Amino acid sequence: AQSVTQLDSQVPVFEEAPVELRCNYSSSVSVYLFWYVQYPNQGLQLLLKYLSGSTLVKGINGFEAEFNKSQTSFHLRKPSVHISDTAEYFCAVSDPGSEKLDFGKGTKLTVNP
Amino acid sequence: ETGVTQTPRHLVMGMTNKKSLKCEQHLGHNAMYWYKQSAKKPLELMFVYNFKEQTENNSVPSRFSPECPNSSHLFLHLHTLQPEDSALYLCASSQDGGSTQYFGPGTRLTVL
């Protein structure tokens, strides 16, 4: 099983500011990496995923993430956030072919006007 | 309906009640999952079904009983629950056991 660390439990930012949500995982030869978003009273929605190939992954709603194998990180970024981005963001990791998806504890992003 | 649906969305039950949570996926997937989401804890995988066969039981107490009659439907039968079982229960599905999982909206369960 992977250990997934989301270093910031809460991140407050102002609207139109850039944001980075950090995610680190325990080392492995190869991994699949995911970011999910959960809006209040809803389930988890897939934002983006890294399975292989380019280390810079673009997702929905203007988010992107970069896989850094040497630092075992998969940080999520957005250059300019909106009020509607207020939600909880979860990083998840799995070993290729495994049914188990290991989640971090989540980061609550609050975008203020 | 599209995606993964769950019913009911909210459930309040006493410790002696028996109830069931239902999940249905409309994505043509063959693997389905139950997760528990409690406050301040990572999502916990409870059960995995692949082609209707249970392939994972993550040390879940027997008061939770899953059922997967076909690859589109998944149930979680609940009986004699404890207040600490109050949580958001999420269902997910994927094309294969190791591929991207898609989640339903969850059932918010409160045990009194």
Side-chain angles (χ1 to χ4, degrees), chain A residues 18-58:
Chain A
V19 71
E20 179 179 82
L21 306 183
R22 296 178 292 170
C23 174
N24 289 87
Y25 59 94
S26 53
S27 62
S28 181
V29 175
S30 62
V31 291
Y32 291 162
L33 298 155
F34 306 83
W35 275 99
Y36 286 87
V37 60
Q38 186 175 34
Y39 298 103
N41 301 314
Q42 294 189 31
L44 273 68
Q45 180 182 359
L46 182 68
L47 264 183
L48 49 80
K49 61 185 177 183
Y50 171 80
L51 304 181
S52 65
S54 172
T55 57
L56 183 63
V57 181
K58 294 192 183 296

